Amino acid sequence: MKFERKTQLKMAKLVTCDTEIMSGTPVFKNTRVPIKNLIDYLETGESLDDFLEDFPSVSREQVVATLELAGEILLTHAYANSS
């Protein structure tokens, strides 16, 4: 999937995918915490506060911005593929 430049810039500020960090797993920028960990927490009913307590290297601002970006990408993709 190809993203707009604005979306790419937002993603670059929030997410790192580097083979030298967690074997290329997408992580929160400047951490070693996989984005998938946040998704797993939320899927199992854990709170955002629980996630932040367990992963103190991730800020609330990073999580909120990442969730907003995920929503933006989802909605953009859905609208682009609707008939």
Side-chain angles (χ1 to χ4, degrees):
M1 174 185 288
K2 188 160 176 134
F3 299 111
E4 291 182 7
R5 180 81 176 131
K6 182 175 101 175
T7 302
Q8 290 174 345
L9 291 173
K10 284 182 191 178
M11 195 174 311
K13 288 180 181 180
L14 297 169
V15 179
T16 300
C17 292
D18 183 334
T19 57
E20 300 295 316
I21 302 169
M22 303 291 291
S23 301
T25 298
V27 298
F28 287 95
K29 185 116 182 169
N30 300 319
T31 76
R32 296 179 59 79
V33 179
I35 303 293
K36 178 81 167 89
N37 287 15
L38 173 62
I39 295 166
D40 291 344
Y41 264 66
L42 297 176
E43 282 181 342
T44 60
E46 298 288 332
S47 72
L48 180 55
D49 289 329
D50 291 335
F51 175 82
L52 293 168
E53 185 176 313
D54 289 346
F55 299 98
S57 63
V58 181
S59 72
R60 180 175 295 276
E61 292 78 20
Q62 282 178 294
V63 170
V64 169
T66 299
L67 292 171
E68 288 172 351
L69 180 61
E72 181 182 313
I73 291 168
L74 175 70
L75 290 173
T76 300
H77 183 73
Y79 284 128
N81 291 302
S82 65
S83 28

